[in-house]
Amino acid sequence: MTGPGQSGGRKAAILTGAGRGIGKGIATTLAERGYDLVITSRTREDLEVTGRLVEQSGGSAAIVVADLKDPDTPSLLLETALERHGRLDGLVNNAAVNVFAPFWTQSESTLDETIATNLTAPYFLCQAAANYWVQNSRGGAIVNISSAEDTIAYPEQVPYACSKGGLLSLTKVLALEWGPLGIRVNAVSPGSVDTEMTPDVYRQEAPKLMPIGRLGRPEDIGACVFFLLSDDAAFVTGTALYADGGYMLQ
């Protein structure tokens, strides 16, 4: 079996939640470092902005406007990667939703939406990518964007924390099952990152608790993702890279 990038040239990856924030930072970082991408979210305007940034960074971006809760989306993204780029080397499950509210006010619909987007969608995207790699005797790499909340507690984010804890468990079990098949599965677990999703109170207070003294940047997460996708991480699987500025040391 061949691993990602062993045949030379540019590699190809699917990236979800690519329209904003961390996803946009991952997209530009991967493009700068040799990846062509299939980028997806529910908003075309956001994806077009990211697509232009990918092209400016030296990559090619196939835009797919899709709802990850649609059961046809995994096959659509895989087919697009093969049609546009002729290969698939990596999958980055980044898309996520979060609602900040006290637990007793969180609705059933919020829980369902959060689990469906943050856990169920990555589950089936991992399955689709792995099926392709196994059927074609190829290796591959998956990076799931989790959160420091897969390990430590923050208030007023119970559905989100549940989904990220599940995503970390998914990462570990798939790594165990798929390691012998040449498929590596890891997670990046960010702390507070300066994006549209970050509440003002986190922007003000989180840096005070970080030894590095600042919020993360989307490009910081992109660099972690690139490492875990790359052959430099060939001996790394089933782990979470905590990109949190040292917050979890407290």
Side-chain angles (χ1 to χ4, degrees):
M1 292 186 181
T2 59
Q6 290 180 356
S7 61
R10 294 189 69 84
K11 292 163 278 195
I14 294 169
L15 169 63
T16 69
R20 299 182 182 182
I22 288 176
K24 188 185 295 184
I26 294 171
T28 56
T29 301
L30 293 183
E32 290 168 354
R33 303 185 187 193
Y35 275 83
D36 295 321
L37 300 171
V38 176
I39 55 175
T40 186
S41 78
R42 291 180 291 187
T43 307
R44 177 170 293 278
E45 292 80 4
D46 292 339
L47 287 175
E48 289 175 346
V49 172
T50 301
R52 288 193 291 271
L53 292 173
V54 167
E55 292 173 359
Q56 292 168 9
S57 300
S60 173
I63 291 174
V64 179
V65 179
D67 186 339
L68 294 180
K69 299 190 298 297
D70 185 332
D72 294 328
T73 295
S75 59
L76 173 62
L77 295 176
L78 176 59
E79 290 165 6
T80 302
L82 299 180
E83 289 172 3
R84 284 290 301 272
H85 306 312
R87 60 190 294 164
L88 180 68
D89 302 288
L91 166 65
V92 184
N93 286 305
N94 169 69
V97 296
N98 191 8
V99 174
F100 293 83
F103 174 60
W104 53 86
T105 69
Q106 296 271 11
S107 67
E108 182 177 352
S109 62
T110 296
L111 175 63
D112 290 345
E113 171 79 8
T114 304
I115 296 298
T117 303
N118 299 5
L119 180 57
T120 307
Y123 180 105
F124 287 110
L125 281 162
C126 288
Q127 192 176 71
N131 281 336
Y132 164 73
W133 289 324
V134 171
Q135 290 168 10
N136 290 275
S137 298
R138 290 178 53 85
I142 296 171
V143 178
N144 294 319
I145 306 303
S146 187
S147 167
E149 291 190 57
D150 61 26
T151 300
I152 62 174
Y154 288 78
E156 300 191 345
Q157 301 176 67
V158 172
Y160 182 78
C162 291
S163 71
K164 293 304 186 179
L167 187 62
L168 180 59
S169 292
L170 177 69
T171 299
K172 292 179 178 181
V173 175
L174 295 185
L176 182 65
E177 288 194 15
W178 292 348
L181 303 175
I183 300 169
R184 295 185 300 104
V185 189
N186 290 290
V188 175
S189 299
S192 294
V193 179
D194 190 5
T195 72
E196 300 90 336
M197 287 180 66
T198 306
D200 288 341
V201 65
Y202 279 70
R203 295 176 188 278
Q204 297 165 8
E205 298 300 322
K208 301 175 185 178
L209 300 174
M210 296 177 181
I212 288 181
R214 65 167 175 85
L215 293 177
R217 304 183 185 102
E219 294 76 15
D220 294 326
I221 310 308
C224 295
V225 170
F226 173 75
F227 167 69
L228 291 174
L229 288 178
S230 76
D231 290 338
D232 287 340
F235 199 55
V236 180
T237 195
T239 193
L241 198 170
Y242 287 91
D244 66 345
Y247 178 88
M248 292 177 65
L249 299 173
Q250 304 300 311

